Amino acid sequence: MNILTHKKNYSSSVLFASVLVLAFAFASCKGKSSEAVVNEAASSAKSEEEIKIDEEKAAAEAEAAKAKEMGLLGEKLKPNKVGDIVFLDGSAIAWRKDLELDVLQRLNVVAVIFYVGNECSDDESQRILGVGLKHSKEEIVTELVSDANTAMLDSVMGRDGSNQLEKISNYMINHIGMDDTASREYYAPFYFAKEYPKLLGGRFDGTIYEQGWYLPSVTELKKLNEWYDDYTNETYKAYLLCNGDSFVGSEKSVFWSSSYWFRGHGDTPMASYQYARDFSDQMTLSTESRAYVCAIRDFTNDKNSALQKRVEEAPFFPEYDETFYIGEHNDWTWNDPYQTWYNAALPDYLHLNPYPDENNEQEALAIIDCQVLHKSDSDEVKSEMVEIPAGKKLLLKEIGGYGISQCILYPVYKAEYNDEESGESISCLVRGIDITDMDDVVSVSDGNGGTLTLFYQRALNTRYKDGDYGPSMDSINEYLNNWATYEEAGLHGGYHMNYAGIIDSKNNFYKLDIETDGVLKIEYPLNMDNPVPFIIETRFNGGMGGGFSSTKISSLEVSGDKAKLNFWCDFEVLDTDGGPTGTKYWFFTKDSLWAYVLQSDENKVICNESDVYTQDPDNPYVYSKHSVVEGEPGGNDVIKKFGQYLNPVCPLKMREKPDTSSEKLYTLAPGTLVKVLEEGKSVWIDGHYCNWVRVQMVNDGAFLEGYRSENKTTGWVFGGYLE
């Protein structure tokens, strides 16, 4: 069959198929207007487009979730599109109009992708090119001259500028028996681009971005020009968002390229081709020409640095092949000194308390099933790995070293735990990333003899840069062993939630997804008719003289193997020394959550009211009604009975005996769950006639004086302020 006949038959087939389609469309649309048919067709096409968009969106969300799980700065594991902003950990984030970068992201920008394609390749392979944010501060002078054009340069030098200097060197050696490419005077633009990371003060030291920068070829420079000179190109705004040096303006209209034209033999065997913003000029610069320099890099074959962490097995915890260690033992050092970058650090739990006990020991809890190392001091006895379950308590003794995993720095502790079979205390090494401080573990009664336990692990928003806090053990110790580090982080939102989970009364585990720089607690208000667990999130932002304190309350709903939070309310006050003052608290009634705020400024009350959120009778995890009650919550005259679960509606004194003259033991915070153990006599107090009751704290917690309850403290309180 010849080509013409083949085309004719193909056209006939298409025509026949078209007739069938039209006939089917007519039959199926009989009785409908032509406009309706067109609208249905458009709707069908749109649906397919929407499906494709939904698929792309789902894939992007899955990748973003993976990046978040790994603790990466970006939402993509690696860059792949024009406008992508590349971060120091290898991740990237796509440009969008509403994009904002946080402080940590801004400090870790490496480059912005300006080109994706094969036109800048010598072998037609696809390349992903990014440009650095900084140019040469001044024009750079070279001794060479040019008389070439773009086509010649591409045919001789190639379109990929990454190895141009090597090509020049080979040409000189092969044609004139000499090589002057080591001269910075002759090749200053090349060396500026090659050593671009030095311009940034060592920010890229120890990362893959310390290498690979180069002076762009004329083809690459032209693509760069097309990118930033196209004012309809939104992605160039990604470069501006990162505070990149401007390409635009008469002062920076000329940049060096790496493309050279070889003239054959003679004193000057090659000449440089410079780039002007208008390529149509075929601009030629004379001896001692001046032009600016920018540096670019090929990101095509980079692997995400967090995914690339595959090294030889560590001396211990060998199954964790993404982990890097430094410590005091001869065989325990950083596995790879070039992979010691991190963007967060777990606290040293031995130095959180400014007033540690005599032995400076601290209890901790294993938050996952994990392995510890039984380190042997004897050459005859081999060290071994032993698994301990989530929920196992350990006694931390001292820091033995540090590890890095998934861009998080953590201490490795010398610790002890009790072996239930032998009853002996076992010494071990445990990773800080597998445990949390007992102050970040909260258990509450479920009213049926079981408990709900919330545990979480907070990380400091810090990073290793320019020698700060690492990678040496001494510099890390200096930072993490300082109580002021944690004081500063607590006052100014310097933490983020690294991990959180729930264990129910049946020992089922549920991971809790929550983003906060605050502290958490769990409440199970058994005084409600339909009690459900609540997560209380408390944040502070200020200084030693006071600041903003906020509270966010959400119900905790567990379904299947997932736990989710249903938002109820948030409220805040400003409380300072010598300025605005504020008080806030919350408590539960049989069907509601009350959030009270008292805010004053210059002795004038600005707010004095409670927001009341009434529980939905059909779904106890959400509220169905919101109302406002003016004034401070008051008492009641309802007689309290033995066995009742109750909580104070205001700060309430707990006394040794049922009498206002009796010794005060502590002050219960509003919302503290108590159970009535004994009924006392009824009396008038503050206009309310109610009985005294001896109560026991259902869950251990803090009193307003700062002391912490142990063994569920008991005492007498006036029942008129209990709900």
Side-chain angles (χ1 to χ4, degrees):
M1 182 185 293
N2 62 46
I3 295 176
L4 292 176
T5 304
H6 178 70
K7 285 185 176 180
K8 183 177 180 180
N9 290 342
Y10 176 78
S11 300
S12 299
S13 299
V14 172
L15 177 62
F16 178 70
S18 300
V19 171
L20 286 178
V21 170
L22 288 172
F24 176 77
F26 177 79
S28 60
C29 299
K30 188 175 181 180
K32 298 180 181 179
S33 67
S34 59
E35 181 180 0
V37 174
V38 171
N39 288 340
E40 283 188 5
S43 175
S44 175
K46 184 178 180 181
S47 297
E48 292 179 2
E49 182 180 350
E50 287 177 345
I51 290 173
K52 182 179 179 181
I53 292 174
D54 289 343
E55 289 176 348
E56 292 177 350
K57 182 179 178 181
E61 289 176 349
E63 186 175 19
K66 177 66 176 176
K68 179 180 177 182
E69 181 182 346
M70 295 174 62
L72 302 179
L73 292 168
E75 298 174 352
K76 307 171 75 170
L77 299 182
K78 61 179 296 183
N80 59 3
K81 291 186 177 181
V82 173
D84 281 357
I85 299 170
V86 186
F87 298 113
L88 199 57
D89 61 359
S91 66
I93 191 168
W95 162 255
R96 55 180 181 267
K97 290 184 178 181
D98 61 345
L99 179 63
E100 293 183 2
L101 301 181
D102 60 33
V103 175
L104 197 59
Q105 288 174 320
R106 286 181 179 276
L107 290 172
N108 286 277
V109 174
V110 173
V112 178
I113 303 303
F114 70 89
Y115 176 77
V116 176
N118 61 6
E119 295 173 88
C120 294
S121 171
D122 293 334
D123 59 6
E124 303 305 319
S125 61
Q126 178 162 295
R127 303 180 72 210
I128 302 172
L129 303 180
V131 60
L133 303 182
K134 300 299 177 183
H135 306 156
S136 57
K137 294 182 179 179
E138 299 176 351
E139 293 174 307
I140 292 181
V141 180
T142 185
E143 298 288 340
L144 304 173
V145 295
S146 171
D147 57 2
N149 61 59
T150 304
M152 288 179 172
L153 294 167
D154 278 348
S155 64
V156 177
M157 293 291 293
R159 294 171 290 180
D160 179 354
S162 62
N163 60 350
Q164 302 286 57
L165 195 60
E166 182 181 352
K167 290 180 180 179
I168 295 172
S169 174
N170 291 336
Y171 181 91
M172 295 188 70
I173 293 173
N174 294 330
H175 288 77
I176 59 176
M178 63 164 292
D179 181 7
D180 64 357
T181 55
S183 170
R184 291 175 180 270
E185 182 181 4
Y186 290 161
Y187 300 92
F190 286 89
Y191 282 96
F192 174 90
K194 184 178 181 180
E195 297 170 357
Y196 168 73
K198 292 183 178 180
L199 182 68
L200 307 178
R203 278 206 307 123
F204 297 169
D205 289 358
T207 73
I208 56 175
Y209 305 119
E210 192 175 13
Q211 307 291 333
W213 297 91
Y214 64 91
L215 188 65
S217 70
V218 67
T219 304
E220 292 166 330
L221 209 49
K222 188 171 183 178
K223 291 297 180 184
L224 180 59
N225 176 62
E226 291 172 357
W227 176 59
Y228 74 71
D229 205 30
D230 181 0
Y231 296 103
T232 65
N233 187 354
E234 278 286 330
T235 59
Y236 178 60
K237 294 180 181 178
Y239 181 81
L240 302 178
L241 176 66
C242 299
N243 296 321
D245 286 350
S246 175
F247 282 92
V248 181
S250 58
E251 293 182 357
K252 287 196 173 181
S253 61
V254 182
F255 282 80
W256 285 102
S257 86
S258 61
S259 299
Y260 274 55
W261 168 245
F262 299 95
R263 298 198 299 180
H265 300 286
D267 296 335
T268 308
M270 79 293 292
S272 67
Y273 181 93
Q274 289 80 27
Y275 151 73
R277 290 191 68 239
D278 186 355
F279 271 89
S280 63
D281 287 350
Q282 296 293 333
M283 186 171 183
T284 299
L285 301 181
S286 60
T287 303
E288 295 189 355
S289 297
R290 294 176 176 271
Y292 287 93
V293 177
C294 66
I296 69 172
R297 190 180 184 280
D298 188 349
F299 292 82
T300 309
N301 296 317
D302 286 347
K303 293 182 179 179
N304 183 294
S305 58
L307 295 175
Q308 195 178 10
K309 294 177 178 179
R310 298 290 187 268
V311 296
E312 296 180 2
E313 291 184 348
F316 64 100
F317 306 142
E319 76 280 9
Y320 295 103
D321 59 356
E322 292 185 4
T323 304
F324 303 85
Y325 295 103
I326 187 173
E328 63 183 2
H329 305 290
N330 293 332
D331 61 347
W332 184 11
T333 57
W334 289 121
N335 305 63
D336 185 344
Y338 297 105
Q339 296 286 357
T340 57
W341 187 90
Y342 53 87
N343 60 19
L346 295 185
D348 172 2
Y349 296 135
L350 295 172
H351 290 84
L352 287 176
N353 188 347
Y355 308 107
D357 61 25
E358 183 178 350
N359 296 322
N360 194 28
E361 297 174 344
Q362 181 68 33
E363 270 196 325
L365 187 80
I367 60 176
I368 60 172
D369 294 339
C370 62
Q371 293 199 347
V372 298
L373 178 72
H374 289 182
K375 185 74 175 178
S376 173
D377 295 327
S378 170
D379 295 335
E380 299 178 359
V381 180
K382 186 178 180 180
S383 299
E384 63 176 345
M385 301 295 302
V386 176
E387 184 170 299
I388 62 172
K392 186 70 174 178
K393 287 185 178 181
L394 301 100
L395 184 64
L396 308 182
K397 295 284 194 176
E398 60 179 295
I399 296 288
Y402 294 94
I404 297 175
S405 184
Q406 296 185 350
C407 299
I408 297 176
L409 173 76
Y410 58 84
V412 177
Y413 297 94
K414 295 180 180 179
E416 293 180 356
Y417 69 92
N418 182 61
D419 181 58
E420 295 179 355
E421 292 185 5
S422 65
E424 296 179 352
S425 181
I426 307 296
S427 297
C428 67
L429 291 174
V430 61
R431 308 190 321 161
I433 203 168
D434 296 327
I435 62 176
T436 192
D437 180 46
M438 289 302 296
D439 285 343
D440 295 333
V441 179
V442 186
S443 294
V444 295
S445 171
D446 66 359
N448 296 312
T451 59
L452 282 174
T453 299
L454 163 71
F455 59 86
Y456 58 97
Q457 186 186 72
R458 295 193 297 166
L460 293 161
N461 299 328
T462 188
R463 65 193 181 88
Y464 161 45
K465 172 184 177 291
D466 299 346
D468 295 340
Y469 325 139
S472 75
M473 191 165 174
D474 288 342
S475 58
I476 297 173
N477 279 336
E478 183 180 353
Y479 176 63
L480 292 183
N481 293 6
N482 185 355
W483 177 75
T485 297
Y486 309 109
E487 176 76 3
E488 177 73 14
L491 291 174
H492 301 294
Y495 285 103
H496 72 266
M497 195 62 60
N498 188 53
Y499 194 86
I502 299 290
I503 299 177
D504 67 13
S505 57
K506 297 180 181 179
N507 211 32
N508 296 316
F509 167 79
Y510 307 91
K511 185 177 180 181
L512 186 61
D513 290 325
I514 184 169
E515 295 184 7
T516 179
D517 56 12
V519 297
L520 304 177
K521 67 181 298 188
I522 185 171
E523 293 287 354
Y524 200 103
L526 297 172
N527 58 317
M528 298 187 81
D529 290 342
N530 294 303
V532 297
F534 286 84
I535 299 296
I536 318 296
E537 173 190 338
T538 304
R539 301 175 62 250
F540 180 82
N541 195 345
M544 299 302 292
F548 284 97
S549 175
S550 65
T551 299
K552 179 179 179 180
I553 302 179
S554 306
S555 68
L556 173 67
E557 183 176 3
V558 175
S559 177
D561 60 349
K562 297 182 179 179
K564 72 171 184 176
L565 296 176
N566 301 296
F567 173 78
W568 279 50
C569 67
D570 57 9
F571 48 103
E572 70 173 13
V573 294
L574 175 60
D575 191 39
T576 62
D577 296 338
T581 59
T583 300
K584 63 177 174 62
Y585 55 77
W586 46 266
F587 61 89
F588 296 94
T589 65
K590 65 179 182 178
D591 63 356
S592 302
L593 163 65
W594 287 54
Y596 171 67
V597 169
L598 173 61
Q599 182 71 65
S600 302
D601 189 13
E602 296 181 351
N603 297 319
K604 180 180 179 181
V605 175
I606 299 173
C607 178
N608 182 20
E609 63 186 26
S610 297
D611 285 278
V612 182
Y613 302 86
T614 303
Q615 195 176 36
D616 190 307
D618 298 322
N619 181 2
Y621 292 98
V622 300
Y623 66 90
S624 58
K625 180 182 178 183
H626 172 227
S627 57
V628 177
V629 177
E630 296 290 337
E632 184 178 2
N636 61 76
D637 299 338
V638 179
I639 300 298
K640 307 307 183 290
K641 300 295 185 179
F642 171 80
Q644 274 188 294
Y645 288 105
L646 304 162
N647 67 178
V649 300
C650 60
L652 185 60
K653 295 180 175 119
M654 176 182 278
R655 299 185 181 275
E656 187 176 349
K657 297 178 181 180
D659 192 303
T660 55
S661 62
S662 175
E663 180 182 354
K664 185 189 79 169
L665 300 176
Y666 304 103
T667 304
L668 294 175
T672 302
L673 186 66
V674 297
K675 185 176 183 179
V676 177
L677 300 180
E678 182 180 350
E679 298 175 33
K681 61 183 179 180
S682 296
V683 296
W684 286 95
I685 296 179
D686 297 335
H688 297 288
Y689 185 76
C690 195
N691 58 326
W692 285 88
V693 286
R694 188 167 71 90
V695 298
Q696 181 180 41
M697 295 178 67
V698 176
N699 309 300
D700 286 324
F703 299 106
L704 290 183
E705 290 85 357
Y707 303 108
R708 188 173 181 82
S709 167
E710 295 182 2
N711 301 319
K712 300 177 176 59
T713 305
T714 63
W716 288 90
V717 297
F718 178 59
Y721 292 110
L722 293 175
E723 279 281 358

